[in-house]
Amino acid sequence: MALFTPPAIVRTQVWRLSPKATIYFPIVSGLKNSQVQHFINQRLQNVIHHLLVSQGYFQNKDRAEVVSTFEVKNNQRGILSITISNYTYIEGAAHGLTVIQSLTFNTVTGKQYSLSDLFSPNSNYVERISNEVRAQIRRREIPTLEPFENINPNQYFYIADKTIVIYFQAYELSPYVVGLPMFPINLFYLQDIAAQGGPIDILATNS
């Protein structure tokens, strides 16, 4: 049934918190279940507020430049994956900093997925994904602050069609100049350990 679930409607709302702080905020509508729709919108709002707090906007309103944007990475088969990108520069700092947070939902049930939710219990998904990330670091010659070992069991990710993208924040893996390292992995590579009825299982099934 998920194959025929209509996509959510995602509109942009603009919040101008100050002349130097603009938030482009996603509003989800068109879902059959109003409670699910409210939950998803509340979670999106919470993440944006958390990013503003964690990056020091409210403590430095007069000196802070902020631009928050979002991208819809997947909106099909009942799986909605959105990234929220928050750039903040505090006057006097050496440079600004961009932080990305991603949220992936089932638009029918309202479930929000962490990385571990995508895979069968007791599967070796951490090892499988880490091996692929390690291979890409080597192949793409990405400089790292320390030798890469493994991803976090609930590493940052988003889903884009037939791909899961594992990513790291600035300074988490690489020097600032690298930005936010991202590692796309084909869903079919992970299909054999995917949780039944989860996003990978749904999206890797040919319609």
CSV table of all heavy atoms in Angstrom, one decimal, residues 8 10 28 40 44 72 74-76 78-82 103-107:
chain,number,residue,atom,x,y,z
A,8,ALA,N,3.4,14.0,0.4
A,8,ALA,CA,3.0,15.1,1.2
A,8,ALA,C,3.2,16.4,0.4
A,8,ALA,O,3.9,16.5,-0.5
A,8,ALA,CB,3.9,15.1,2.5
A,10,VAL,N,4.6,20.0,0.7
A,10,VAL,CA,5.6,20.7,1.6
A,10,VAL,C,5.7,22.1,1.1
A,10,VAL,O,6.2,22.4,-0.1
A,10,VAL,CB,7.0,20.0,1.6
A,10,VAL,CG1,7.9,20.8,2.6
A,10,VAL,CG2,6.8,18.6,2.0
A,28,VAL,N,4.3,21.0,6.3
A,28,VAL,CA,3.8,19.8,5.7
A,28,VAL,C,2.2,19.8,5.8
A,28,VAL,O,1.7,20.0,6.9
A,28,VAL,CB,4.3,18.5,6.4
A,28,VAL,CG1,3.7,17.2,5.8
A,28,VAL,CG2,5.8,18.4,6.2
A,40,ILE,N,4.6,15.8,12.7
A,40,ILE,CA,5.7,16.0,11.8
A,40,ILE,C,6.1,17.5,11.8
A,40,ILE,O,7.2,17.9,11.9
A,40,ILE,CB,5.4,15.5,10.3
A,40,ILE,CG1,5.3,14.0,10.3
A,40,ILE,CG2,6.4,16.1,9.4
A,40,ILE,CD1,4.9,13.4,9.0
A,44,LEU,N,9.6,19.3,13.1
A,44,LEU,CA,10.4,20.2,12.3
A,44,LEU,C,10.7,21.5,13.0
A,44,LEU,O,11.8,22.0,13.0
A,44,LEU,CB,9.7,20.4,10.9
A,44,LEU,CG,9.6,19.2,10.0
A,44,LEU,CD1,8.6,19.5,8.9
A,44,LEU,CD2,11.0,18.9,9.4
A,72,VAL,N,13.7,19.0,0.6
A,72,VAL,CA,13.0,17.7,0.6
A,72,VAL,C,13.8,16.7,-0.2
A,72,VAL,O,14.0,16.9,-1.4
A,72,VAL,CB,11.6,17.9,0.0
A,72,VAL,CG1,10.9,16.6,0.0
A,72,VAL,CG2,10.8,18.9,0.8
A,74,ASN,N,13.4,13.2,0.0
A,74,ASN,CA,12.5,12.1,-0.5
A,74,ASN,C,11.1,12.4,-0.1
A,74,ASN,O,10.8,12.8,1.1
A,74,ASN,CB,13.0,10.8,0.1
A,74,ASN,CG,12.2,9.6,-0.6
A,74,ASN,OD1,12.7,9.1,-1.6
A,74,ASN,ND2,11.1,9.1,0.0
A,75,ASN,N,10.2,12.2,-1.0
A,75,ASN,CA,8.7,12.4,-0.7
A,75,ASN,C,7.9,11.5,-1.6
A,75,ASN,O,7.2,11.9,-2.5
A,75,ASN,CB,8.4,13.9,-0.9
A,75,ASN,CG,7.0,14.2,-0.5
A,75,ASN,OD1,6.3,13.4,0.2
A,75,ASN,ND2,6.5,15.4,-0.9
A,76,GLN,N,8.1,10.2,-1.4
A,76,GLN,CA,7.4,9.2,-2.1
A,76,GLN,C,7.2,7.9,-1.3
A,76,GLN,O,7.9,7.7,-0.3
A,76,GLN,CB,8.2,8.8,-3.4
A,76,GLN,CG,9.6,8.3,-3.1
A,76,GLN,CD,10.3,7.9,-4.4
A,76,GLN,OE1,9.7,7.4,-5.3
A,76,GLN,NE2,11.6,8.1,-4.4
A,78,GLY,N,5.2,7.2,0.9
A,78,GLY,CA,4.9,7.3,2.3
A,78,GLY,C,6.1,7.6,3.2
A,78,GLY,O,6.1,7.6,4.4
A,79,ILE,N,7.3,7.9,2.5
A,79,ILE,CA,8.5,8.2,3.2
A,79,ILE,C,8.9,9.6,2.9
A,79,ILE,O,9.2,10.0,1.7
A,79,ILE,CB,9.7,7.2,2.9
A,79,ILE,CG1,9.2,5.8,3.1
A,79,ILE,CG2,10.9,7.6,3.6
A,79,ILE,CD1,8.9,5.5,4.6
A,80,LEU,N,9.0,10.4,3.9
A,80,LEU,CA,9.4,11.9,3.8
A,80,LEU,C,10.7,12.1,4.5
A,80,LEU,O,10.8,11.8,5.7
A,80,LEU,CB,8.3,12.8,4.4
A,80,LEU,CG,8.6,14.3,4.4
A,80,LEU,CD1,8.7,14.8,2.9
A,80,LEU,CD2,7.5,15.0,5.2
A,81,SER,N,11.7,12.5,3.8
A,81,SER,CA,13.0,12.8,4.4
A,81,SER,C,13.4,14.3,4.0
A,81,SER,O,13.5,14.6,2.9
A,81,SER,CB,14.1,11.8,3.8
A,81,SER,OG,15.3,11.8,4.6
A,82,ILE,N,13.6,15.0,5.1
A,82,ILE,CA,13.9,16.5,4.9
A,82,ILE,C,15.2,16.8,5.7
A,82,ILE,O,15.4,16.3,6.8
A,82,ILE,CB,12.8,17.3,5.5
A,82,ILE,CG1,11.5,17.1,4.7
A,82,ILE,CG2,13.1,18.8,5.5
A,82,ILE,CD1,10.3,17.9,5.2
A,103,LEU,N,15.5,14.7,9.1
A,103,LEU,CA,14.4,14.0,9.7
A,103,LEU,C,13.7,13.2,8.7
A,103,LEU,O,13.4,13.6,7.6
A,103,LEU,CB,13.3,15.0,10.3
A,103,LEU,CG,13.8,15.9,11.4
A,103,LEU,CD1,14.2,17.3,10.8
A,103,LEU,CD2,12.8,16.2,12.5
A,104,THR,N,13.4,11.9,9.0
A,104,THR,CA,12.8,11.0,8.1
A,104,THR,C,11.6,10.4,8.8
A,104,THR,O,11.7,9.8,9.9
A,104,THR,CB,13.8,9.9,7.6
A,104,THR,OG1,14.9,10.5,7.0
A,104,THR,CG2,13.1,8.9,6.7
A,105,PHE,N,10.4,10.5,8.1
A,105,PHE,CA,9.2,10.1,8.6
A,105,PHE,C,8.4,9.1,7.7
A,105,PHE,O,8.6,9.1,6.5
A,105,PHE,CB,8.2,11.3,8.8
A,105,PHE,CG,8.7,12.4,9.7
A,105,PHE,CD1,9.4,13.5,9.2
A,105,PHE,CD2,8.6,12.3,11.1
A,105,PHE,CE1,9.8,14.5,10.0
A,105,PHE,CE2,9.1,13.3,11.9
A,105,PHE,CZ,9.7,14.4,11.4
A,106,ASN,N,7.6,8.3,8.3
A,106,ASN,CA,6.5,7.6,7.6
A,106,ASN,C,5.3,8.5,7.7
A,106,ASN,O,4.8,8.8,8.8
A,106,ASN,CB,6.3,6.2,8.3
A,106,ASN,CG,5.3,5.4,7.5
A,106,ASN,OD1,4.2,5.9,7.2
A,106,ASN,ND2,5.6,4.2,7.2
A,107,THR,N,4.8,8.9,6.6
A,107,THR,CA,3.7,9.9,6.6
A,107,THR,C,2.3,9.3,6.8
A,107,THR,O,1.4,10.0,6.9
A,107,THR,CB,3.7,10.7,5.2
A,107,THR,OG1,3.5,9.8,4.1
A,107,THR,CG2,4.9,11.5,5.0
